[in-house]
Amino acid sequence: MKQPEQPPPCLSEPNTQGIIKGSDLFGYVGIEAAGFEFNIMVVGQSGLGKSTLVNTLFKSKVSRKSCTPNYEEKISKTVHLQSVSHIIEEKGVKMRLTVIDTPGFGDQINNENCWEPIVKYINEQYEKYLKEELHVNRKRRIPDTRVHCCVYFLPATGHWLRPIDVEFMKRLGNIVSIVPVIAKADTLTMEERLEFKQRIRQGLQANGIRVYPQKEYDEDAEERILNDRIRESIPFAVVGTDKEHQVNGNKVLGRKTKWGIIEVENVAHCEFAHLRDLLIRSHLQDLKDVTHNIHYETYRVRRLNESNTKDIRAQ
């Protein structure tokens, strides 16, 4: 498989000169254990606040449209992929965070096969890693561009999963860890939100869609209890913003409405904090492990079997 040529990486440079310190985030982030690279893909139609949510997660302009992307390939008229990298530092340990955005996904009248560029990109990163592993003189540490998590944005319709959501998550659930979220959840009442979440979970189960964390990967009873709590919350109902407001004398991230301030980090208002904890605190290393030990390993075995089959036929 021939790899497309990629331009050199681009590091966005906000006020912190490309470095986000761990103390600037929401307390402990967990990069000390994970280190090196963490790659998040965000998928969803335009207008769902993907960039805003990513910026809220890391309290910085991580997703910057003004920055020349690391990777940009217009594979079809509807979907192209853009990735922007940033360096996060905590306790002297640096981690390269890459956010892969999917502009145009699901925006067209005809969305047939619009997931193909995304599947192609994910598999290309596995292939790139595999080729590095197979070199006679391997690098001491192979650069990791594999997608460790795909955050899938569902519009807050209050109805059922749309056919495009079902098709996408069915196809990607076996090659990447998917975390579904309800975008702009403040447009639903609390009752509507609970009903919608239940319908989504029913739809996921009915269609055999695998989302993270999967039960079969729970290693012990303690982890199962923690992950069951997460599974009961999925999809996370989230609200993103980069605006700060005064609430009871404190500055809080929130959205101002005529009814009051929706506080992003207040779990009584939305589940942004639960998503943040999953991605960059409690499960960051596990997401990397599942990517390497499950998704990449499945790809690696399949590709090596294909190669062996070709060699046998050639003899």
Side-chain angles (χ1 to χ4, degrees):
M1 292 177 65
K2 187 178 179 181
Q3 295 293 308
E5 289 187 11
Q6 298 186 25
C10 157
L11 180 64
S12 58
E13 296 183 352
N15 296 332
T16 49
Q17 298 182 347
I19 305 288
I20 310 176
K21 300 288 184 180
S23 58
D24 296 336
L25 297 165
F26 307 86
Y28 177 67
V29 180
I31 68 169
E32 188 176 17
F36 307 129
E37 302 98 349
F38 187 59
N39 309 313
I40 300 177
M41 175 178 277
V42 290
V43 178
Q45 67 190 55
S46 300
L48 293 182
K50 300 189 298 293
S51 296
T52 302
L53 187 80
V54 170
N55 290 337
T56 310
L57 267 174
F58 296 96
K59 274 197 172 176
S60 182
K61 299 294 182 185
V62 175
S63 181
R64 288 179 45 157
K65 294 187 175 76
S66 61
C67 179
T68 305
N70 296 350
Y71 178 103
E72 181 172 6
E73 185 182 358
K74 295 182 180 179
I75 307 173
S76 74
K77 291 181 181 179
T78 58
V79 182
H80 63 286
L81 303 174
Q82 296 178 330
S83 68
V84 175
S85 293
H86 214 99
I87 300 297
I88 297 176
E89 182 176 340
E90 180 177 270
K91 298 179 182 177
V93 179
K94 292 180 181 179
M95 182 179 74
R96 184 183 187 86
L97 167 73
T98 299
V99 178
I100 305 108
D101 200 356
T102 55
F105 178 82
D107 292 346
Q108 307 301 310
I109 294 173
N110 180 8
N111 287 303
E112 187 177 359
N113 300 329
C114 64
W115 46 78
E116 286 183 356
I118 298 169
V119 172
K120 181 176 182 285
Y121 177 87
I122 292 170
N123 283 329
E124 278 177 355
Q125 308 320 304
Y126 290 147
E127 183 69 17
K128 189 192 300 184
Y129 196 92
L130 176 61
K131 285 189 172 181
E132 288 289 345
E133 274 198 328
L134 294 177
H135 283 162
V136 175
N137 297 313
R138 286 189 299 181
K139 294 177 182 175
R140 191 173 176 185
R141 184 181 64 79
I142 298 173
D144 191 0
T145 60
R146 297 170 297 180
V147 178
H148 300 119
C149 181
C150 172
V151 180
Y152 189 84
F153 285 67
L154 298 163
T157 62
H159 303 303
W160 296 88
L161 282 174
R162 302 171 305 165
I164 189 174
D165 300 326
V166 171
E167 283 299 321
F168 177 89
M169 288 192 281
K170 278 178 75 172
R171 289 167 190 271
L172 265 78
N174 292 321
I175 65 171
V176 70
S177 295
I178 297 178
V179 176
V181 301
I182 301 170
K184 298 188 174 180
D186 52 320
T187 59
L188 300 172
T189 66
M190 295 303 287
E191 292 77 13
E192 289 170 340
R193 184 191 297 180
L194 287 171
E195 289 174 6
F196 188 38
K197 283 163 71 80
Q198 190 171 4
R199 288 193 192 104
I200 297 299
R201 286 195 292 269
Q202 288 172 353
L204 293 172
Q205 187 172 4
N207 289 284
I209 296 170
R210 296 157 57 85
V211 298
Y212 181 86
Q214 290 99 319
K215 284 186 177 181
E216 59 266 35
Y217 304 154
D218 295 345
E219 293 186 355
D220 52 45
E222 187 178 340
E223 190 172 291
R224 191 177 306 114
I225 292 169
L226 172 63
N227 287 344
D228 278 343
R229 207 174 300 141
I230 293 168
R231 286 186 277 264
E232 289 168 7
S233 297
I234 284 177
F236 295 114
V238 297
V239 177
T241 183
D242 52 8
K243 301 284 192 305
E244 287 188 333
H245 300 277
Q246 288 284 342
V247 176
N248 298 325
N250 298 315
K251 277 188 177 181
V252 299
L253 280 171
R255 289 193 63 239
K256 191 172 185 178
T257 71
K258 59 183 178 182
W259 298 284
I261 305 292
I262 298 165
E263 299 173 39
V264 168
E265 297 174 75
N266 187 335
V267 292
H269 292 190
C270 79
E271 295 172 324
F272 167 82
H274 296 325
L275 174 66
R276 175 198 65 208
D277 289 348
L278 177 79
L279 292 180
I280 57 176
R281 288 185 183 169
S282 62
H283 286 66
L284 187 151
Q285 185 60 53
D286 189 62
L287 282 162
K288 295 186 68 169
D289 291 343
V290 168
T291 299
H292 183 77
N293 299 327
I294 308 296
H295 299 307
Y296 168 69
E297 188 63 18
T298 302
Y299 180 88
R300 188 186 72 86
V301 169
R302 177 171 63 80
R303 288 288 290 118
L304 292 179
N305 283 337
E306 287 173 0
S307 298
N308 290 336
T309 302
K310 287 178 184 177
D311 290 342
I312 291 169
R313 286 174 180 170
Q315 290 175 4

